[in-house]
Amino acid sequence: MKAIIVHTDRNGIDLAWEDIPPLAPGPGEVLLDVHATAVNRADLLQARGLYPAPPDESQILGLEAAGRIAAVGEGVVTWRPGDRVCALALGGGYAEQVVLPEGVLIPLPDNWSYAKGAAVPEVWLTAYANLCMEGAMRDGQTVLIHAGASGVGTAGIQIAREWGARTAVTAGADDKLARCRELGADLAINYKAEDFVETLMAFTGRQGVDLILDCVGGAYLEGNIAILKPYGRLITIGLLGGTTARLDLAAVLMKSLTLKGTRLRARTREDKAEITRQFRDRLWPLLVAGKMTPVVDCVFPITSAGAAHQYVKDNRNTGKVILEVRPGVA
Ligand SMILES: NC(=O)c1ccc[n+]([C@@H]2O[C@H](COP(=O)([O-])OP(=O)(O)OC[C@H]3O[C@@H](n4cnc5c(N)ncnc54)[C@H](OP(=O)(O)O)[C@@H]3O)[C@@H](O)[C@H]2O)c1
């Protein structure tokens, strides 16, 4: 079977579609024929050697996949060969086949393409886990989502809308801000033209926000701390704007703030299965009914994975960039 193998030389990084040994599912696992996978920022870092895969999991890129089950391992009774599913992968999604634990599988409706299915697992589970579980988002609260037009952001806006929260986002281009408003953002701030702290303070009557989902990190820490209300929560999921900053501990103490960092990839198989179970119970029916939608920006063939990575690196996407592995096959 074929998979993307990363080659690094003095000319840069080459993502090559090459033959690798076949895989087999172990107990409690399934083997999936991958039809589509999707690009995540973690893949860009992993390809550059900056975010190694856990040593006991696949070293191939790819944190999600959609496809058809080819074979099931010992003890798997809920799933059968031929079932169409999408799932969070433990790595290995950029390949013709991937092995997945049965607990992370999500059944794909007949009328969903594999591309649409591949747009769900990583960013919707991240948004759900951090807004609803870690962030304890509640009806009537005000939530700020940085990088609102990202894959995680476009999922998060829709989840916050469904939870009855008031949502503000930041993004760096007017077309991205417009898409965020269409998805349900009550306030969309162009961080390149406005100071998000001032705009949000005016918007909230100087009350601030209850919860922040942040993937910018260092560059936004001071502003994030300033706009959190008492008992506010800051959930850090990325460091696109740097890893270090000065922290005003007096504000953390006086406002009883909670600062958390989380990584979906680092969670155990059991944790991933639990997040998937809650997501399937609480949100998946709304996606299947069309009340929420995964946002797909564009589709590249897997053989153009390098170009897809460059597109994401250039911040050109709104929502997900999909890699098609088996074009045109139902
Ligand atoms: N911790 C976890 O478990 C977890 C899981 C999944 C994803 N993530 C992280 O969540 C973030 C979003 O992931 P994604 O796949 O949804 O991303 P994405 O679709 O690639 O979008 C990221 C967007 O962030 C904005 N951005 C980039 N650099 C920025 C900077 N220095 N300052 C402000 N904004 C910047 C850009 O939009 P603009 O044009 O609007 O600037 C870019 O398009 C990433 O950092 C990713 O690593 C974390």
Side-chain angles (χ1 to χ4, degrees):
M1 77 142 182
K2 286 189 180 296
I4 289 287
I5 303 297
V6 180
H7 296 281
T8 310
D9 60 24
R10 62 172 184 274
N11 297 319
I13 293 165
D14 180 35
L15 302 184
W17 189 232
E18 293 180 357
D19 288 317
I20 62 158
L23 301 172
E29 296 177 338
V30 307
L31 179 67
L32 188 76
D33 279 339
V34 179
H35 288 251
T37 181
V39 180
N40 285 286
R41 291 264 161 179
D43 308 338
L44 276 62
L45 293 173
Q46 187 178 334
R48 291 169 59 206
L50 300 175
Y51 193 57
D56 47 343
E57 303 293 0
S58 171
Q59 300 300 300
I60 307 245
L61 301 177
L63 295 173
E64 56 201 330
R68 242 180 225 283
I69 294 178
V72 300
E74 193 188 318
V76 174
V77 291
T78 316
W79 304 95
R80 297 212 180 107
D83 286 350
R84 298 172 82 247
V85 298
C86 64
L88 205 57
L90 310 161
Y94 286 25
E96 285 181 320
Q97 293 191 317
V98 64
V99 170
L100 301 165
E102 62 175 330
V104 297
L105 302 178
I106 301 171
L108 271 192
D110 290 342
N111 61 349
W112 275 43
S113 67
Y114 291 111
K116 189 172 172 183
V120 170
E122 177 74 14
V123 296
W124 281 81
L125 291 170
T126 296
Y128 173 74
N130 289 292
L131 290 172
C132 306
M133 297 170 76
E134 306 287 353
M137 178 170 63
R138 296 278 175 271
D139 181 16
Q141 292 188 332
T142 303
V143 177
L144 168 62
I145 301 176
H146 288 303
S150 64
V152 175
T154 53
I157 293 167
Q158 296 179 76
I159 296 171
R161 185 193 69 201
E162 194 57 39
W163 252 239
R166 193 161 64 142
T167 313
V169 300
T170 59
D174 288 341
D175 59 327
K176 291 189 175 189
L177 296 166
R179 188 72 179 107
C180 291
R181 284 190 207 97
E182 277 170 23
L183 292 171
D186 299 290
L187 175 69
I189 304 167
N190 187 334
Y191 68 85
K192 292 179 179 165
E194 292 167 78
D195 174 359
F196 76 83
V197 174
E198 268 317 303
T199 306
L200 258 170
M201 278 304 195
F203 177 72
T204 60
R206 310 214 77 76
Q207 295 296 301
V209 305
D210 299 280
L211 173 64
I212 302 175
L213 183 60
D214 178 43
C215 62
V216 177
Y220 282 1
L221 182 66
E222 194 179 345
N224 284 337
I225 297 290
I227 52 167
L228 278 172
K229 281 181 182 175
Y231 300 98
R233 288 90 65 203
L234 168 63
I235 314 285
T236 300
I237 61 162
L239 299 165
L240 292 167
T243 58
T244 57
R246 280 174 67 87
L247 173 61
D248 177 5
L249 277 171
V252 175
L253 184 74
M254 297 310 285
K255 293 199 279 185
S256 304
L257 303 181
T258 300
L259 314 186
K260 256 187 202 180
T262 75
R263 281 197 306 138
L264 192 54
R265 184 168 210 176
R267 292 183 190 254
T268 61
R269 288 183 177 211
E270 291 71 28
D271 277 358
K272 287 174 182 166
E274 174 57 20
I275 295 168
T276 305
R277 189 191 64 71
Q278 288 195 26
F279 173 78
R280 279 185 59 175
D281 283 354
R282 302 179 78 177
L283 286 178
W284 188 238
L286 299 170
L287 280 147
V288 171
K291 294 183 176 160
M292 299 174 157
T293 189
V295 176
V296 173
D297 181 287
C298 61
V299 180
F300 284 81
I302 187 78
T303 47
S304 299
H309 276 207
Q310 189 60 49
Y311 185 87
V312 169
K313 191 173 174 210
D314 292 342
N315 298 334
R316 292 172 65 191
N317 58 301
T318 295
K320 292 293 292 187
V321 173
I322 304 299
L323 298 171
E324 201 169 46
V325 177
R326 294 168 198 260
V329 182

